[in-house]
Amino acid sequence: MPCYNVAPYLDQCLESLVHQTWKSVEIICINDGSTDETSAVLHSWAARDGRIRVVDRENGGQASARNVGMDMASGEYIAFADPDDYMEHSMYGRLMEEICTHDADVVACGYTSFSDENGSVLEELSRSPGFGVEKEARSSFFHADSVWMKMDVVTCNKLYKKEFLNQCGVRFEPSFRRGEDDVFWLMVLSHARCFAVIPDRLYWYRRKRKGTVSYAWEEQRCPYSLDMDRLEYVTAYWKQIGWLDTAVSRGWLAHVMKRYLLSHVTSGEEIFQKLDKQESRALVQRYREWLCGMEAGANPAGLNKWDRAFCRLLRTEPVKANPVVGIYNRFMSACSGRRGRYYRLKSLMSSLS
């Protein structure tokens, strides 16, 4: 559990951990350079319960703190908790039951999101996934009801087999000071043999806490630049371990392209319409370099005709349109939906040449 200036929330979180029905746990708390009373609260709890271990260190970020905890862990299974959240007392007992029943590498449960402002349940941000088991995860094709999609990208609703994580060597990437959950999960996916998910909402996920990254994202979406950082990192990792061709053929690459790249240009967001010319030119160049570098992903399974059209447009070096083509592009820009967005982007790219 990475802890940074969370003293007001620790009692509720640690109470839920020490009273788990599964008693054989160690609770590793990494005090990540806190400047409030976090360290004092943690050490007070450690004095009362020998299962709690506290590490005080200079601030290094959440990803790095989680890695420290993973390396210290002596148990057979690993779970992560955020210190401003809390768990049902039955959570880890239920997850242990499922991971052992299915001999899974990772098992997940649902979660309930609640507001830090007034404690109200936020149903639209909660998750009650359908039960599912995927015995051959590495060979499965992507679809919207995939077990791994039901599990969600968040880290703290899961239990991981420690031997599995150690064998594949997956750790959180410290260069991501935010958004590291997605990267970690997409790396785990490429190695896991078996997944399981249960619908029970066993984790309580605090939202709308001012000053947190998640609060800023809830107010104005995840920054497109961070999405691109994650896409670049994950696809480079897949390529490094020799899994990119599999991701291409099974539709997984198309999924991450849609989520981290195409969502910003093919949807109503139309990110390029919000940027100035210099920012647009830099983003077009970044998208083009990634698309041109994805030789294996030139035509991934799972992209529809408009996705492919936008990819072809973004892969091409911007060229100034002749007057007739320019007039046609502006005329077509008035169309609704993706057709209009495509021609608006085409006109914009012509102006960047």
Side-chain angles (χ1 to χ4, degrees):
M1 186 168 72
C3 304
Y4 177 73
N5 289 352
V6 287
Y9 305 100
L10 284 172
D11 284 340
Q12 184 178 35
C13 181
L14 286 168
E15 187 280 334
S16 72
L17 286 170
V18 300
H19 290 105
Q20 287 292 307
T21 55
W22 185 271
K23 300 298 184 183
S24 182
V25 298
E26 62 177 348
I27 304 164
I28 303 172
C29 304
I30 311 299
N31 173 34
D32 196 34
S34 297
T35 56
D36 67 352
E37 296 302 310
T38 292
S39 180
V41 175
L42 291 175
H43 283 284
S44 174
W45 272 92
R48 305 199 304 267
D49 193 313
R51 297 173 299 173
I52 298 175
R53 303 167 65 186
V54 180
V55 176
D56 292 300
R57 66 170 207 159
E58 293 184 3
N59 183 264
Q62 183 167 258
S64 176
R66 283 175 171 165
N67 288 341
V68 170
M70 289 173 72
D71 292 338
M72 289 178 60
S74 60
E76 294 181 43
Y77 301 92
I78 290 179
F80 303 96
D82 283 341
D84 54 350
D85 301 334
Y86 64 95
M87 293 112 264
E88 294 289 339
H89 293 169
S90 61
M91 177 171 170
Y92 294 117
R94 285 286 291 112
L95 293 180
M96 281 293 298
E97 179 183 338
E98 293 298 321
I99 204 168
C100 292
T101 296
H102 304 291
D103 188 26
D105 295 316
V106 189
V107 64
C109 63
Y111 54 81
T112 301
S113 293
F114 67 100
S115 172
D116 182 57
E117 297 169 347
N118 56 23
S120 60
V121 171
L122 305 171
E123 284 294 338
E124 70 278 10
L125 297 175
S126 299
R127 196 172 188 88
S128 300
F131 175 82
V133 179
E134 177 56 78
K135 291 288 189 181
E136 299 295 336
R138 283 177 59 87
S139 61
S140 65
F141 286 85
F142 170 80
H143 55 88
D145 202 37
S146 301
V147 171
W148 65 273
M149 283 289 288
K150 292 180 180 181
M151 298 171 81
D152 202 9
V153 299
V154 299
T155 298
C156 297
N157 68 331
K158 299 178 177 68
L159 183 68
Y160 305 80
K161 190 179 291 184
K162 182 184 176 184
E163 181 183 21
F164 158 69
L165 291 176
N166 287 342
Q167 284 178 347
C168 65
V170 172
R171 292 293 186 269
F172 291 90
E173 175 48 48
S175 64
F176 286 93
R177 301 286 289 203
R178 52 185 182 168
E180 74 283 354
D181 283 16
D182 289 42
V183 173
F184 180 78
W185 183 235
L186 289 168
M187 290 194 294
V188 165
L189 285 177
S190 59
H191 294 284
R193 173 189 51 81
C194 178
F195 291 127
V197 60
I198 58 176
D200 314 48
R201 289 189 188 179
L202 302 173
Y203 191 85
W204 287 80
Y205 187 179
R206 189 182 302 271
R207 305 270 195 160
K208 299 186 180 296
R209 181 160 79 88
K210 292 182 179 179
T212 63
V213 169
S214 60
Y215 180 81
W217 290 358
E218 287 161 13
E219 294 297 303
Q220 43 180 183
R221 292 200 60 183
C222 173
Y224 68 84
S225 57
L226 176 58
D227 271 349
M228 197 60 200
D229 290 342
R230 295 190 286 194
L231 179 61
E232 290 169 339
Y233 188 90
V234 167
T235 50
Y237 178 79
W238 285 353
K239 189 172 185 177
Q240 174 191 330
I241 65 171
W243 199 74
L244 183 59
D245 287 340
T246 302
V248 170
S249 64
R250 300 189 179 279
W252 293 29
L253 179 64
H255 168 66
V256 297
M257 284 175 66
K258 288 179 179 181
R259 177 166 182 163
Y260 301 113
L261 188 159
L262 291 172
S263 64
H264 292 293
V265 295
T266 69
S267 69
E269 180 186 8
E270 292 190 80
I271 185 64
F272 287 106
Q273 307 303 325
K274 303 177 182 179
L275 304 176
D276 62 31
K277 181 169 283 191
Q278 183 176 355
E279 292 172 323
S280 292
R281 187 176 285 112
L283 184 56
V284 165
Q285 178 65 18
R286 190 174 184 186
Y287 284 176
R288 193 174 73 85
E289 288 177 355
W290 183 83
L291 286 163
C292 290
M294 283 291 103
E295 296 178 8
N299 193 30
L303 294 184
N304 62 37
K305 69 173 185 178
W306 279 114
D307 292 332
R308 297 178 194 279
F310 275 97
C311 286
R312 287 193 297 271
L313 182 58
L314 290 166
R315 281 172 64 96
T316 305
E317 185 75 41
V319 177
K320 190 169 185 64
N322 64 53
V324 174
V325 173
I327 292 171
Y328 178 78
N329 288 342
R330 287 193 294 275
F331 174 77
M332 294 298 292
S333 294
C335 294
S336 61
R338 286 189 167 193
R339 187 182 301 275
R341 294 171 199 150
Y342 175 85
Y343 282 99
R344 285 194 288 275
L345 179 57
K346 195 170 185 178
S347 295
L348 181 144
M349 290 184 65
S350 176
S351 72
L352 299 178
S353 61

